[in-house]
């Protein structure tokens, strides 16, 4: 049985005593992969959790079982957790160690903390790393639970390349990054409403009395609403003016929220110790307190990464190689992780060129950034990746960035 059929949960689960296939679905006379041999499977009970708003599906596979079983948990969340806890206690009383798994997604990592507090091991799997069969596949919560527990069996048996495990942050770190994420959402809302106002003015041919890039340009335009004329000299309909006033109220609301968050970030930054990563980053020219707070809150801890390649891969700035034999090519970046981090780092790279022109990185990539087209885009991405690695070494090991200048005290 190939890996894809095993990932689908098809053609691999057969009743005991089957005369054609062995216990793992392999043809008689063939040898199963060593990572799947029953002798190498640890003495554990494996459980997968397929979470949904209405019901939870729990796939259970014990060592003595030929195939997994699926149970359904119904009721409120408290009721589901109560039933799940009773079953976990029963398994522990049998002397079994339980290893659980569920997919990362909308349900966060609170369930991981809940399981570990009760002495259970848990794996949070990144859904995009699970093998998907070609073409269309059957999709039900029951089949998903079976597939998850099957992949967990392979993982615990030694094949730890079958999926990637998500490393959850501490609850405090999770809460700390909400402020910078909220700020990013509000900035995008401000941009969206500002563009909507400008588009509406152009739609009716209304001349702008101020530059659209001017701070709060919409207030100056709205003050002239009584004199607005369309491009053909007609008076602008009253409904359009009312729409613009409502948009301005919405935009001002988001602007006030943005000012409050910026103030809170500043207070939080000033309260940090002098040797904290945020304060050390903010000492460098080109890095402000908002960028320092955003990077550190998203990473949780700079020390979680063991190499520059890992931190570059975390933000999705590493290129994808496509090599075979003597030929091949390097493709574009994989764009893993949050787009917000990549956007922040690209903006930081441009600020680095502006405020650190004598640094080694700026001197290295400056000539290419003065070009046009694809070379310029590739150069700024490469600069952002190398700058991130330098910042990681600077924060974790105290390695100075060559040629970098600091802000005046």
């Amino acid at each position: 049985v190939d890996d894809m059929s095993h990932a689908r949960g098809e053609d691999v689960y057969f009743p005991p005593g089957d005369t054609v296939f062995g216990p793992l679905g392999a043809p008689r006379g063939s040898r199963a992969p060593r990572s799947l041999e029953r002798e190498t499977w640890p003495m554990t009970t494996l459980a997968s959790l397929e979470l949904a708003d209405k019901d939870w599906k729990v796939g259970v596979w014990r060592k003595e079982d030929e195939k997994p079983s699926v149970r359904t948990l119904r009721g409120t969340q408290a009721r589901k957790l109560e039933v799940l806890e009773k079953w976990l206690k029963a398994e522990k009383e049998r002397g079994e160690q339980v290893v659980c798994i569920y997919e990362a997604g909308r349900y966060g990592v609170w369930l991981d903390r809940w399981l570990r507090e009760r002495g259970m091991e848990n794996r949070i799997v990144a859904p995009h790393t699970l093998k998907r069969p070609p073409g269309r596949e059957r999709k039900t919560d029951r089949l998903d639970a079976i597939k998850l527990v099957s992949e967990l069996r392979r993982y615990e048996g030694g094949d730890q390349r079958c999926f990637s495990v998500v490393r959850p942050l501490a609850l405090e770190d999770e809460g700390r990054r909400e402020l910078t994420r909220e700020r990013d959402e509000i900035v995008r809302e401000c941009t969206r409403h500002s563009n909507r106002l400008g588009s509406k003015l152009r739609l009716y041919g209304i001349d702008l009395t101020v530059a659209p890039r001017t701070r709060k340009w919409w207030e100056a335009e709205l003050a002239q609403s009584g004199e607005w004329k369309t491009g053909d000299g007609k008076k602008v309909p009253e409904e359009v003016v009312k729409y613009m006033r409502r948009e301005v109220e919405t935009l001002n609301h988001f602007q006030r929220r943005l000012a409050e968050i910026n103030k809170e970030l500043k207070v939080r930054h000033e309260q940090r110790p002098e040797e904290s990563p945020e304060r050390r980053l903010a000492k460098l020219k080109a890095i402000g307190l908002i960028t320092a707070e955003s990077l550190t809150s998203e990473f949780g801890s700079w020390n979680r990464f063991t190499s520059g390649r890992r931190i570059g891969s975390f933000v999705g700035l590493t290129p994808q190689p496509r090599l075979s034999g003597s030929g091949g090519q390097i493709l574009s970046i994989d764009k893993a992780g949050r787009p917000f981090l990549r956007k922040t780092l690209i903006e930081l790279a441009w600020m680095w060129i502006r405020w650190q022109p004598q640094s080694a990185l700026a001197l290295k990539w400056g000539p290419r950034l003065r070009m046009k087209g694809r070379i310029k885009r590739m150069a700024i991405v490469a600069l952002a990746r190398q700058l991130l690695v330098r910042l990681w070494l600077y924060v974790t090991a105290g390695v100075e960035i060559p040629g970098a200048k600091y802000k005046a005290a």
Side-chain angles (χ1 to χ4, degrees):
V1 178
D2 58 4
D3 288 342
M4 300 310 298
S5 62
H6 186 276
R8 284 198 302 268
E10 301 172 2
D11 303 327
V12 292
Y13 309 123
F14 294 88
D18 194 284
T19 57
V20 180
F21 290 84
L24 291 174
R28 186 178 297 278
S30 65
R31 183 176 179 84
R34 186 167 185 82
S35 60
L36 295 179
E37 290 183 357
R38 185 175 297 274
E39 291 76 10
T40 64
W41 193 25
M43 291 292 295
T44 57
T45 295
L46 306 180
S48 64
L49 302 172
E50 183 65 25
L51 309 177
D53 292 337
K54 185 177 179 181
D55 300 331
W56 291 1
K57 298 293 184 181
V58 183
V60 182
W61 201 341
R62 299 185 180 91
K63 183 172 183 178
E64 62 271 13
D65 296 337
E66 295 291 338
K67 62 180 182 179
S69 60
V70 180
R71 307 180 183 187
T72 303
L73 302 182
R74 296 185 174 89
T76 63
Q77 179 174 288
R79 175 59 181 168
K80 296 171 187 173
L81 292 176
E82 179 183 353
V83 175
L84 182 60
E85 186 172 12
K86 289 181 179 179
W87 177 77
L88 293 174
K89 287 183 178 179
E91 290 296 316
K92 291 184 69 175
E93 291 175 356
R94 293 178 60 245
E96 295 286 347
Q97 179 186 3
V98 181
V99 179
C100 303
I101 185 175
Y102 71 92
E103 292 185 14
R106 60 181 298 190
Y107 292 96
V109 298
W110 65 268
L111 185 57
D112 177 79
R113 293 191 295 268
W114 186 88
L115 290 168
R116 293 184 183 278
E117 287 172 358
R118 284 152 183 80
M120 310 299 164
E121 291 189 34
N122 184 60
R123 311 281 185 263
I124 305 178
V125 57
H128 66 278
T129 62
L130 292 170
K131 291 183 178 179
R132 304 291 181 183
R136 301 178 63 181
E137 66 169 325
R138 294 180 295 170
K139 174 70 170 68
T140 65
D141 290 345
R142 183 179 183 277
L143 291 177
D144 287 346
I146 292 176
K147 181 170 67 174
L148 265 182
V149 76
S150 303
E151 293 299 305
L152 179 60
R153 181 179 182 181
R154 295 180 60 188
Y155 184 87
E156 294 298 319
D159 184 9
Q160 298 194 352
R161 293 181 176 270
C162 57
F163 58 76
S164 296
V165 176
V166 175
R167 177 180 176 181
L169 296 177
L171 181 59
E172 295 76 14
D173 293 331
E174 278 193 89
R176 195 175 297 120
R177 67 185 181 183
E178 290 300 326
L179 192 60
T180 54
R181 290 189 173 186
E182 182 185 1
R183 184 186 183 278
D184 178 57
E185 294 174 1
I186 292 177
V187 168
R188 284 189 276 112
E189 287 293 335
C190 291
T191 303
R192 184 178 297 114
H193 287 282
S194 178
N195 292 342
R196 190 175 296 170
L197 286 169
S199 298
K200 190 66 67 174
L201 290 173
R202 293 180 179 88
L203 179 65
Y204 288 92
I206 302 172
D207 286 333
L208 297 177
T209 58
V210 296
R213 295 290 182 182
T214 306
R215 180 174 176 83
K216 294 194 174 182
W217 62 269
W218 55 89
E219 293 183 353
E221 288 296 333
L222 196 62
Q224 306 292 328
S225 60
E227 304 174 3
W228 280 348
K229 299 291 183 180
T230 62
D232 55 353
K234 305 294 178 53
K235 185 178 179 180
V236 175
E238 187 64 25
E239 291 79 7
V240 177
V241 177
K242 290 181 179 179
Y243 169 83
M244 299 288 283
R245 292 185 184 278
R246 288 191 293 267
E247 280 294 316
V248 167
E249 291 177 3
T250 304
L251 183 53
N252 286 334
H253 166 71
F254 283 114
Q255 288 283 346
R256 288 192 296 270
R257 287 183 58 185
L258 182 60
E260 293 174 0
I261 291 178
N262 288 341
K263 183 178 179 180
E264 186 175 346
L265 281 173
K266 183 178 180 180
V267 172
R268 189 170 76 176
H269 183 78
E270 292 174 349
Q271 292 176 347
R272 296 190 184 280
E274 195 67 24
E275 294 302 318
S276 63
E278 295 88 346
R279 296 292 293 270
R280 295 184 62 194
L281 287 173
K283 292 178 182 179
L284 290 165
K285 284 187 175 182
I287 301 181
L289 66 92
I290 292 178
T291 301
E293 292 285 339
S294 299
L295 292 177
T296 305
S297 63
E298 286 296 328
F299 293 147
S301 173
W302 291 80
N303 293 314
R304 65 184 295 190
F305 305 103
T306 57
S307 67
R309 181 175 296 180
R310 288 183 179 273
I311 193 172
S313 178
F314 179 82
V315 300
L317 288 177
T318 52
Q320 304 177 85
R322 190 177 183 87
L323 308 174
S324 179
S326 59
Q329 59 181 334
I330 303 297
L331 303 181
S332 61
I333 58 175
D334 55 11
K335 294 186 179 180
R338 295 195 70 235
F340 167 68
L341 267 178
R342 288 192 297 278
K343 181 194 73 172
T344 302
L345 289 168
I346 295 297
E347 292 175 352
L348 177 57
W350 284 116
M351 296 298 290
W352 191 266
I353 290 294
R354 177 180 178 182
W355 295 102
Q356 300 276 10
Q358 300 304 317
S359 63
L361 289 175
L363 294 175
K364 176 181 178 181
W365 294 104
R368 296 191 182 185
L369 291 172
R370 287 188 286 272
M371 299 180 182
K372 294 183 179 180
R374 184 169 179 264
I375 294 179
K376 182 178 180 179
R377 295 193 299 270
M378 294 174 60
I380 196 63
V381 172
L383 171 60
R385 180 176 63 251
Q386 294 185 9
L387 177 58
L388 175 62
V389 175
R390 288 293 184 178
L391 293 176
W392 169 71
L393 291 172
Y394 168 72
V395 171
T396 58
V399 179
E400 297 292 334
I401 303 177
K405 295 183 179 180
Y406 295 87
K407 300 173 184 176

